[in-house]
Amino acid sequence: MISKGDLAMLQVKQVSKVYEGKLAYRALTDINLTIDTGEFVGIMGPSGSGKTTLLNMIATIDEPTTGEVLINGNNPHRLRKDDLAKFRRNELGFVFQEFNLLHTLTVEENIVLPLTLDGTKVKIMKQKAKQIAEKLGITDIMKKHTYEISGGQAQRAAVARAMIHSPKLLLADEPTGNLDSKSSKDVMGMLESINKNDHTTMMLVTHDPQAASYCDRVVFIRDGKFYSEIHRGDSRQTFFQKIIDTLSLLGGDDHDFPSVRV
Amino acid sequence: MTFRQFAFKNVTRNKRLYAAYFLSSMFTVMVFFTFAIFAYHPALTGDEMDSYVTQGMNISGGIIYVFSFFFILYSMSSFLQSRKKEFGLLIIQGMTIKQIRLMVFLENMLIGFFATVGGILLGLVFAKGILMVAENVLVIENKLNFYIPMEAIILSFVSFIILFFVISLFVSYVLRSKKLTELIRGDKQSKGEPKANIWLTILAVILIGGGYTVALLVRGVGVFIAMLPVIIVVSIGTYLFFTQLSVFIIRQLKKRDTFYWKKTNMILFSDLSFRMKDNARTFFMVAMVSTVAFSAIGTLYGFQTFLTEGIKLVNPNTFTYQADDSKRTEDIDFITSTIKDENMEADQEEMVLRYYPLEDKNVIIAKESDYNRFAELIGDDKIEVGEGNIRVIKFGDEGLLYTMDTDTSEVITLTSGETLKKNETIIESKALPAMYHYYVVSDRDYEKLGDPEDERYFSAWQVTQGKERVIGAAEKITEKVSPYYFTSVDLNVYEINKGYAPIMFVGLFIGIVFFVSAGSFLYFRLYTDLDTDKRKFHAISKMGLTSKELKKVLSRQTAILFFTPLIVALIHGAIALNALANMFNYNLAKESIIVLSVFSGIQIIYYVIVRFFYTKQIKQVL
């Protein structure tokens, strides 16, 4: 992978991760990855390949054993713990498989939560929440509680929360993992349009080839090592087929992937 | 694996889950057992203590036992609450409700058995300490030695095995089969945000306000009559306060975006409003139990001061002797020689008190020089009474003493036919022993008073050196001189304290047990939500939450839990003690403040400890 210097939003350089314990376990080995500003990259691989470990390291939740992670040219792992929390809140956006919405808050309150922690003015928060709700088509559920909405709506709300502070990098961990195929398509379409319109850099970790086909580029890892990467051409359909093919080469023994799913 | 083994393994392999319930059960057993060690102590059960003390101990033991029952029942049900999901899983696996009941019963008996044994063992460890404390508080002459408390062991063991048996039976019987889906979803299912009924909210304010007003306004016997209705009204009010008013207040706060959307407030208050329904019952119980503890200890403490201060108040002298019979020279010689033998020095004054029938009763009339000698003895100012004048002297006017108005227009006619007029200004002094007031006239007028109705010899000593030997000397004197004539304040106070100490000790013990268990209720409440909180903070921390912000949220959350019921209980307790003070017409402010601040202090320590561990637990998952 070639570093594109100024253009790179994320640079992962020679990152390895070893979990110490009774039995030391090597989760990642010499991973290099560069994501340009405005790029939408998918990470795929079988269970236990190290996808989530990689994501956690980029998300600054976990630290690499060797190597470094640069976000927008800075190494967040050098920050003190509290500054790190603020860095996450201001520079990164997160979307999770289990939505991670607080059920005691309404959708609107969930969305503005990162801003309230920063002490943003109420007027500005209301305005921003309104804008993003309109953009993501969730205006009519803003006053509802999270237990009153569907999974698809919940994930949209989670995306809205991740986007409200206009993060430099949006990280999505299996965002379609808990959704049916219709909702999955909605959410992925939404992420794609955010990426295209707002030029938000995105990284997606997924099992789902359908979801991965919305990316510009998909990187495959296996046993903690880089395996291959493929770029999307003009057609998403072709790209989807290419992903399926790579996956079948990637591992004969895993049943994680559906053979065909259109 | 047999069914019994399954139940057994359930407990032994889920230590953390069962730990809180086990520890609180063990604590309860320990409290009861320590009390039993004390109550059955040979030094106390002998003839040293009166039978009423023994009976008091038995009643107190009974109270602790009944309280233990409810406490364990409560811990048990909150423990089962957190296991809903597990039961759902077992039912899906094909377990019948009957089997689940059996499982709960077996588990419970197992925990109960070990809690009983553990509590007794732990109690034995602390026994020496508690006996030492008791020794100091109780003013007991002979020491409370450590002994092997067989009776206490047997009593505690049997009582608690029975208790756990009954509770296990009861709990497993009432274990209702909820809908399976409900069980499986467990705590994930939201009950929705609680709402407050506006009428009940208003009613809460009215009930508490009304109860307080009545409690503050009634005086004397009225307190006694109003007590029960006020307690009932305020109890209902308190319940509504926590279930309705608190929900109402939180909802109002949440409506104000500038407050609710500020920093960590959203995380804190959103949860608070959802948990309020669960919190309310705990808050109510804690507030009531704490109020009972405050009031009981405050009353006991206040009553003790009331008794001892009363004696100190009417006896400004170290020793006094009053008699009208012939033995008095002998008695006084003995008192004087005892003072000398004990190497004490004392100032002494003596006089003859003359009683005259005035205002329908016998009143002392003293001459100026006699009065001044006695006033000087207790450090009061000397007075000058002009001829033809009477100075009216009130014995005291502190709330404790009865006062009676004197008719200042009354005149005294002397044998010479002249009349004496009362001076309008009444002064106050305890120089001479009287119930309400006495008169002082000039030495010259005194000679012309005529024959008194009654005469008594009065002598007073003010010890100036060797004050620490006063009680010993007084004990010696009372062996020979009848206490009917001889009074020693210090000895009287000492004896009251001695007689009162067991009651005080038992009261303190029960009060502290109540208070500590109130703290445990809060601890349970907090830990029921631990898993939910872990999940919540885990989610928020991924988004980015500094440890300072986390600490702030948790500190406030725990503080609200710990101090809301305490503040309510403090206000209740203060009002109750105030009403009590009104009943006795004696100011209990100092005692109330001491008792309430000690409890607040304990609660603050409790809060700091629990917050520390809770924060630590939450931080583990981040």
Side-chain angles (χ1 to χ4, degrees):
Chain A
M1 278 164 287
I2 313 134
S3 161
K4 289 178 188 167
D6 296 347
L7 270 179
M9 174 56 70
L10 172 75
Q11 284 174 286
V12 176
K13 291 180 177 171
Q14 289 290 330
V15 162
S16 297
K17 178 72 188 177
V18 180
Y19 287 108
E20 302 290 349
K22 277 183 196 160
L23 247 162
Y25 169 69
R26 198 171 186 85
L28 286 176
T29 314
D30 299 337
I31 293 285
N32 285 298
L33 173 69
T34 300
I35 298 181
D36 291 336
T37 306
E39 203 183 2
F40 190 0
V41 174
I43 310 285
M44 294 195 80
S47 294
S49 60
K51 301 184 300 280
T52 305
T53 308
L54 179 62
L55 184 87
N56 282 344
M57 253 165 328
I58 295 167
T60 70
I61 293 166
D62 206 350
E63 273 181 49
T65 314
T66 56
E68 61 175 0
V69 175
L70 299 179
I71 295 173
N72 206 14
N74 303 311
N75 185 346
H77 293 290
R78 293 225 182 95
L79 294 173
R80 282 187 302 120
K81 228 183 152 194
D82 280 359
D83 293 331
L84 200 61
K86 289 215 171 98
F87 173 84
R88 269 208 296 272
R89 207 149 77 196
N90 297 325
E91 311 286 326
L92 304 179
F94 293 96
V95 180
F96 307 94
Q97 176 174 0
E98 61 275 18
F99 319 135
N100 270 349
L101 295 174
L102 303 186
H103 74 92
T104 51
L105 298 177
T106 63
V107 170
E108 185 182 25
E109 287 159 5
N110 262 297
I111 292 172
V112 297
L113 186 60
L115 296 181
T116 63
L117 290 177
D118 269 344
T120 316
K121 278 189 179 145
V122 174
K123 214 173 128 192
I124 296 171
M125 282 194 275
K126 292 249 173 203
Q127 202 183 335
K128 281 196 173 180
K130 197 173 164 244
Q131 277 171 7
I132 200 138
E134 277 167 9
K135 197 151 82 183
L136 303 185
I138 50 171
T139 313
D140 43 334
I141 58 162
M142 290 293 268
K143 298 287 173 205
K144 286 192 175 172
H145 275 277
T146 52
Y147 46 86
E148 295 166 322
I149 58 178
S150 73
Q153 287 171 323
Q155 196 58 297
R156 280 156 180 263
V159 172
R161 182 180 64 182
M163 290 302 301
I164 190 144
H165 55 291
S166 320
K168 298 210 167 60
L169 178 63
L170 183 80
L171 300 168
D173 186 5
E174 304 274 11
T176 59
N178 274 347
L179 302 177
D180 60 71
S181 59
K182 165 80 173 60
S183 304
S184 295
K185 278 182 190 166
D186 284 353
V187 167
M188 288 315 297
M190 196 171 78
L191 286 176
E192 191 186 27
S193 77
I194 292 170
N195 172 252
K196 294 290 165 288
N197 299 332
D198 301 356
H199 308 289
T200 307
T201 316
M202 289 185 186
M203 188 178 121
L204 165 80
V205 164
T206 188
H207 268 122
D208 178 2
Q210 176 75 44
S213 69
Y214 285 86
C215 300
D216 299 326
R217 169 162 65 111
V218 174
V219 175
F220 294 89
I221 56 174
R222 184 184 176 176
D223 300 332
K225 289 178 191 137
F226 173 78
Y227 180 77
S228 71
E229 66 174 349
I230 50 174
H231 290 261
R232 176 175 161 181
D234 295 328
S235 158
R236 196 164 64 78
Q237 194 53 48
T238 338
F239 191 43
F240 173 63
Q241 206 52 55
K242 265 160 79 183
I243 293 171
I244 300 262
D245 294 344
T246 317
L247 284 176
S248 56
L249 284 172
L250 189 62
D253 57 347
D254 66 85
H255 303 281
D256 287 338
F257 307 109
S259 51
V260 176
R261 186 174 160 204
V262 184
Chain B
M1 186 170 69
T2 65
F3 192 74
R4 236 174 309 143
Q5 281 172 326
F6 172 67
F8 189 80
K9 278 180 185 164
N10 239 351
V11 178
T12 51
R13 292 192 185 159
N14 276 317
K15 286 185 206 87
R16 204 192 69 79
L17 187 69
Y18 292 77
Y21 173 58
F22 175 73
L23 288 177
S24 64
S25 302
M26 194 163 78
F27 166 78
T28 317
V29 178
M30 192 190 86
V31 166
F32 181 83
F33 177 62
T34 351
F35 188 80
I37 290 181
F38 172 72
Y40 280 97
H41 198 284
L44 294 178
T45 44
D47 30 70
E48 177 71 23
M49 290 263 168
D50 300 316
S51 64
Y52 84 93
V53 174
T54 321
Q55 198 181 346
M57 293 281 181
N58 287 338
I59 292 170
S60 315
I63 293 173
I64 295 181
Y65 187 70
V66 170
F67 186 73
S68 306
F69 182 86
F70 287 107
F71 179 67
I72 292 177
L73 191 66
Y74 178 82
S75 324
M76 179 74 216
S77 55
S78 69
F79 167 64
L80 286 180
Q81 200 73 13
S82 63
R83 294 178 59 198
K84 265 196 218 154
K85 202 176 170 183
E86 186 193 333
F87 293 147
L89 206 71
L90 291 172
I91 292 175
I92 284 194
Q93 301 294 320
M95 209 182 226
T96 64
I97 199 74
K98 218 173 148 189
Q99 280 173 313
I100 288 198
R101 277 179 185 160
L102 183 64
M103 184 186 82
V104 169
F105 177 78
L106 287 175
E107 280 179 14
N108 232 328
M109 280 311 286
L110 187 74
I111 294 176
F113 177 77
F114 283 109
T116 309
V117 173
I120 290 175
L121 290 177
L122 211 60
L124 278 175
V125 174
F126 289 121
K128 182 65 197 161
I130 195 102
L131 287 175
M132 263 157 64
V133 171
E135 217 172 85
N136 286 320
V137 178
L138 275 176
V139 203
I140 294 172
E141 274 123 20
N142 46 346
K143 286 205 158 200
L144 287 177
N145 294 317
F146 182 76
Y147 72 114
I148 298 297
M150 270 329 280
E151 268 176 310
I153 291 177
I154 294 167
L155 177 80
S156 309
F157 187 79
V158 173
S159 318
F160 275 88
I161 291 297
I162 293 172
L163 185 142
F164 279 108
F165 182 78
V166 173
I167 287 183
S168 308
L169 212 62
F170 179 71
V171 163
S172 56
Y173 184 72
V174 296
L175 196 73
R176 265 166 296 165
S177 52
K178 289 212 180 101
K179 272 188 185 160
L180 192 51
T181 50
E182 266 176 49
L183 288 178
I184 289 179
R185 284 168 122 189
D187 51 329
K188 267 193 181 161
Q189 191 188 23
S190 176
K191 289 161 232 151
E193 194 174 357
K195 288 188 179 66
N197 180 316
I198 184 71
W199 297 112
L200 290 177
T201 308
I202 295 169
L203 187 63
V205 177
I206 293 173
L207 286 179
I208 295 180
Y212 277 3
T213 316
V214 172
L216 288 175
L217 289 182
V218 287
R219 290 280 181 279
V221 207
V223 178
F224 196 69
I225 300 162
M227 190 147 70
L228 196 64
V230 167
I231 289 174
I232 293 170
V233 163
V234 171
S235 300
I236 299 170
T238 310
Y239 186 75
L240 291 176
F241 172 81
F242 287 125
T243 51
Q244 306 292 331
L245 190 60
S246 62
V247 175
F248 179 78
I249 292 170
I250 293 167
R251 282 182 81 92
Q252 291 305 310
L253 283 177
K254 278 177 75 176
K255 275 187 190 157
R256 288 180 47 207
D257 285 342
T258 40
F259 171 80
Y260 184 48
W261 285 31
K262 203 175 152 206
K263 299 257 172 176
T264 47
N265 283 356
M266 200 190 261
I267 300 173
L268 181 68
F269 283 95
S270 67
D271 257 30
L272 205 59
S273 74
F274 273 80
R275 282 182 195 168
M276 209 51 222
K277 272 267 149 72
D278 297 324
N279 283 348
R281 260 178 303 150
T282 314
F283 280 8
F284 172 67
M285 228 162 30
V286 169
M288 290 330 268
V289 165
S290 307
T291 307
V292 170
F294 295 163
S295 313
I297 293 180
T299 309
L300 284 174
Y301 184 41
F303 201 61
Q304 188 185 26
T305 0
F306 173 73
L307 289 175
T308 54
E309 288 299 308
I311 288 177
K312 284 184 198 160
L313 215 55
V314 296
N315 290 298
N317 292 302
T318 320
F319 298 143
T320 52
Y321 180 83
Q322 267 192 70
D324 46 12
D325 61 11
S326 52
K327 250 184 83 188
R328 70 160 196 258
T329 7
E330 196 186 319
D331 283 347
I332 287 176
D333 285 348
F334 183 71
I335 296 169
T336 321
S337 67
T338 312
I339 291 174
K340 225 182 208 166
D341 290 349
E342 292 284 323
N343 285 321
M344 300 191 300
E345 274 174 37
D347 297 333
Q348 190 206 350
E349 294 295 346
E350 48 191 359
M351 72 176 281
V352 174
L353 298 172
R354 285 188 182 175
Y355 293 84
Y356 292 89
L358 290 163
E359 292 181 28
D360 309 326
K361 55 187 186 293
N362 283 341
V363 177
I364 297 169
I365 301 180
K367 61 180 173 191
E368 189 190 306
S369 59
D370 277 346
Y371 171 81
N372 282 342
R373 281 188 295 120
F374 276 88
E376 202 181 2
L377 192 62
I378 62 164
D380 276 1
D381 291 338
K382 290 183 181 181
I383 54 167
E384 254 180 73
V385 189
E387 275 171 34
N389 252 323
I390 308 173
R391 282 309 283 268
V392 180
I393 302 186
K394 265 203 301 190
F395 185 69
D397 115 295
E398 280 84 353
L400 192 60
L401 303 166
Y402 295 99
T403 51
M404 195 172 270
D405 292 332
T406 44
D407 179 10
T408 43
S409 63
E410 192 188 23
V411 291
I412 299 171
T413 315
L414 298 174
T415 45
S416 59
E418 297 162 83
T419 52
L420 299 180
K421 271 214 230 131
K422 286 183 183 170
N423 196 317
E424 288 289 331
T425 42
I426 297 171
I427 61 165
E428 197 194 310
S429 172
K430 297 188 182 68
L432 302 180
M435 273 296 272
Y436 311 109
H437 47 258
Y438 50 95
Y439 304 146
V440 179
V441 296
S442 67
D443 286 17
R444 213 177 65 92
D445 289 339
Y446 187 72
E447 302 307 323
K448 301 179 205 157
L449 276 174
D451 288 337
E453 175 92 5
D454 195 10
E455 268 187 358
R456 280 176 80 84
Y457 173 81
F458 177 57
S459 182
W461 289 262
Q462 195 69 256
V463 169
T464 49
Q465 256 168 38
K467 280 183 180 155
E468 65 283 353
R469 290 184 292 277
V470 164
I471 293 175
E475 275 177 333
K476 263 188 204 162
I477 294 167
T478 44
E479 277 167 24
K480 270 191 93 172
V481 182
S482 158
Y484 183 68
Y485 305 126
F486 174 77
T487 313
S488 159
V489 203
D490 302 79
L491 184 64
N492 284 357
V493 168
Y494 173 76
E495 274 173 347
I496 287 178
N497 282 342
K498 198 171 140 188
Y500 202 75
I503 306 170
M504 190 72 185
F505 180 77
V506 170
L508 264 179
F509 196 93
I510 294 182
I512 288 168
V513 166
F514 270 44
F515 191 65
V516 171
S517 22
S520 306
F521 286 143
L522 294 174
Y523 175 85
F524 275 126
R525 183 68 239 138
L526 190 66
Y527 272 76
T528 320
D529 292 327
L530 179 64
D531 285 334
T532 325
D533 273 0
K534 274 185 179 171
R535 243 178 287 134
K536 182 181 77 182
F537 285 108
H538 185 65
I540 300 174
S541 77
K542 276 191 179 173
M543 242 164 48
L545 186 74
T546 63
S547 63
K548 216 170 143 192
E549 285 162 344
L550 175 76
K551 253 192 189 157
K552 197 172 150 195
V553 176
L554 288 178
S555 292
R556 290 219 208 140
Q557 183 181 328
T558 327
I560 289 172
L561 193 67
F562 268 74
F563 295 114
T564 313
L566 180 81
I567 289 168
V568 171
L570 283 178
I571 299 172
H572 281 0
I575 302 264
L577 290 177
N578 186 43
L580 191 85
N582 288 342
M583 181 153 81
F584 285 113
N585 193 23
Y586 177 66
N587 193 352
L588 281 176
K590 200 183 105 205
E591 290 75 26
S592 309
I593 289 169
I594 292 175
V595 169
L596 298 181
S597 2
V598 167
F599 275 111
S600 308
I602 298 173
Q603 185 83 339
I604 289 169
I605 295 170
Y606 210 165
Y607 160 72
V608 170
I609 294 171
V610 168
R611 185 187 63 174
F612 173 77
F613 283 106
Y614 198 71
T615 313
K616 208 174 139 194
Q617 290 258 4
I618 296 284
K619 275 193 170 171
Q620 269 174 6
V621 296
L622 301 187

